[in-house]
Amino acid sequence: MKTNNTEGLTTFEINVLVQQGGRFVIFPNTISKLVKKFKGSNIYFVRPEESTIKYALKHFILNLKSCWSESFFQPIYIIKSLFYLMKGG
């Protein structure tokens, strides 16, 4: 998996930002290809002063576009995904 938002940062700088409140977050994606369901996304590094809403909104819109009409259970997966996105990933 690729880690986003760590470009140009050294390991020491990342450790300092984590101690100040930064965190690594994975947002749920539910993409259905008939029967198979793929969940998860890339890892995002969220800095202490940053909000997760801009990443969460992108993944929620992706879930709405790709999954709403594929099967009977997709709305359940989207609601579950929205719950995790509102919690912050």
Side-chain angles (χ1 to χ4, degrees), residues 2-68:
K2 182 183 174 200
T3 305
N4 296 329
N5 300 338
T6 57
E7 296 84 16
L9 295 174
T10 64
T11 306
F12 177 75
E13 292 171 332
I14 292 172
N15 285 332
V16 169
L17 288 171
V18 167
Q19 290 174 357
Q20 294 174 352
R23 56 194 168 135
F24 291 92
V25 180
I26 296 176
F27 295 102
N29 284 338
T30 305
I31 300 172
S32 175
K33 300 292 183 191
L34 295 177
V35 177
K36 297 180 184 178
K37 292 172 185 62
F38 306 102
K39 296 183 180 185
S41 71
N42 290 335
I43 302 169
Y44 289 90
F45 178 66
V46 181
R47 296 173 188 247
E49 69 276 354
E50 206 174 17
S51 174
T52 60
I53 190 70
K54 64 182 175 181
Y55 307 116
L57 188 60
K58 179 179 103 173
H59 288 283
F60 181 67
I61 291 171
L62 176 69
N63 285 337
L64 280 178
K65 283 182 180 179
S66 64
C67 297
W68 189 257

